[in-house]
C-alpha cells in the first residue's frame, strides 16, 4: 500500500496495490496487519456504510459529538471530492481541511480518524461510496457543519449550486458548531 501524507498529518491518502490482468483486477482494501504495522492505525472497524448519490450531490460536513467515528472512505463507482475538516479544538490543524478526489478508477482511500467532520461532492453521473467506521451511528450525537462556511473556505469543485439535504442546508456554522475538546 502506498501512503500519501496530507497537510493534516493524522489523515492519510492510501493507494492500494492493484493486481490487474486481462480478467480484471484484485486489490486488498483493508488488511488489519498492514494498517496496524505499516500505518500505525489500530482502529477497530465496527460498521460498513454504502451510499449512492447523483451528480452534484454534496453530503456533509457530518460528524458525531457522541461516539466519534474514524472513517476509511472509498468510491467504488464514479468519482467524488472527499473532504475532512479538523474539529479537534486543541489540535494544531484545528479548522483546516483537506480534500482529495477518490474514484473507482484511482481506487484511492482516505483514512479520517475520529475528531474530523467529513463530507463529499459527487463529480460523476453517479457515485457509490463505501466507508468503514470505528464506532456505531449515534443519532443523538449526529451533527453537521455548513458545507460552504466562509471560515473554512473549502474549495469545492462546483460548477453549479450543489444538491443538499435539509439537514445539510440548515447545518451550523463552524463558529457555532460543537467541536471536540
Amino acid at each position: 500500500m502506498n501512503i500519501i501524507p496530507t497537510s493534516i498529518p493524522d489523515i492519510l491518502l492510501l493507494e492500494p496495490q492493484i493486481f490487474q490482468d486481462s480478467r480484471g483486477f484484485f486489490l486488498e482494501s483493508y488488511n488489519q496487519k498492514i494498517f496496524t504495522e505499516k500505518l500505525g492505525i489500530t482502529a477497530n472497524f465496527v460498521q460498513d456504510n454504502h451510499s449512492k448519490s447523483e451528480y452534484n450531490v454534496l453530503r456533509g460536513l457530518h460528524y458525531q459529538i457522541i461516539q466519534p467515528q474514524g472513517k476509511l472512505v472509498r468510491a467504488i463507482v464514479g468519482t467524488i471530492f472527499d473532504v475532512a475538516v479538523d474539529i479537534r479544538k486543541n489540535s494544531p490543524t484545528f479548522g483546516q481541511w483537506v480534500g482529495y478526489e477518490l474514484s473507482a478508477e484511482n481506487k484511492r482511500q482516505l483514512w479520517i480518524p475520529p475528531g474530523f467532520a467529513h463530507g463529499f461532492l459527487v463529480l460523476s453521473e453517479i457515485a457509490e461510496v463505501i466507508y468503514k467506521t470505528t464506532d456505531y451511528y449515534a443519532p443523538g450525537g449526529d451533527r453537521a457543519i455548513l458545507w460552504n462556511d466562509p471560515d473554512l473556505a473549502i474549495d469545492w469543485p462546483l460548477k453549479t449550486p450543489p444538491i443538499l439535504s435539509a439537514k445539510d442546508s440548515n447545518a451550523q456554522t463552524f463558529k457555532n458548531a460543537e467541536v471536540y475538546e
Side-chain angles (χ1 to χ4, degrees):
M1 183 160 303
N2 187 25
I3 305 160
I4 302 167
T6 70
S7 59
I8 299 177
D10 293 333
I11 296 179
L12 300 175
L13 187 60
L14 307 171
E15 289 180 331
Q17 185 175 8
I18 302 165
F19 301 94
Q20 194 161 354
D21 62 24
S22 61
R23 300 169 297 155
F25 72 89
F26 172 84
L27 64 84
E28 277 186 352
S29 61
Y30 176 74
N31 178 310
Q32 186 178 30
K33 186 175 181 178
I34 291 172
F35 269 61
T36 300
E37 294 176 7
K38 187 174 182 180
L39 307 176
I41 298 171
T42 58
N44 178 36
F45 293 107
V46 299
Q47 182 174 317
D48 281 357
N49 298 326
H50 184 155
S51 71
K52 179 181 178 183
S53 305
E54 296 180 4
Y55 172 74
N56 216 36
V57 165
L58 194 152
R59 295 180 182 266
L61 300 160
H62 302 152
Y63 64 103
Q64 291 186 168
I65 202 71
I66 299 168
Q67 295 175 217
Q69 295 177 316
K71 296 177 180 177
L72 181 61
V73 184
R74 66 188 180 118
I76 59 168
V77 173
T79 304
I80 62 170
F81 182 69
D82 203 54
V83 171
V85 178
D86 191 345
I87 58 171
R88 302 169 299 173
K89 194 169 190 164
N90 297 319
S91 168
T93 56
F94 177 68
Q96 294 179 28
W97 64 274
V98 294
Y100 294 94
E101 196 170 285
L102 306 180
S103 70
E105 186 175 309
N106 71 23
K107 298 176 181 36
R108 287 179 163 181
Q109 300 179 91
L110 196 63
W111 162 245
I112 306 167
F116 289 81
H118 172 251
F120 65 85
L121 171 68
V122 177
L123 303 177
S124 53
E125 186 177 330
I126 62 161
E128 291 190 37
V129 176
I130 60 173
Y131 56 98
K132 295 181 159 314
T133 65
T134 60
D135 212 332
Y136 299 102
Y137 175 63
D142 192 26
R143 301 288 186 274
I145 295 172
L146 195 60
W147 68 276
N148 62 349
D149 185 282
D151 291 324
L152 296 177
I154 297 170
D155 188 16
W156 297 99
L158 287 162
K159 295 182 177 136
T160 59
I163 301 165
L164 303 168
S165 69
K167 170 186 164 181
D168 293 342
S169 294
N170 297 307
Q172 292 290 314
T173 62
F174 181 64
K175 284 180 183 173
N176 294 324
E178 288 181 80
V179 296
Y180 302 107
E181 294 297 324

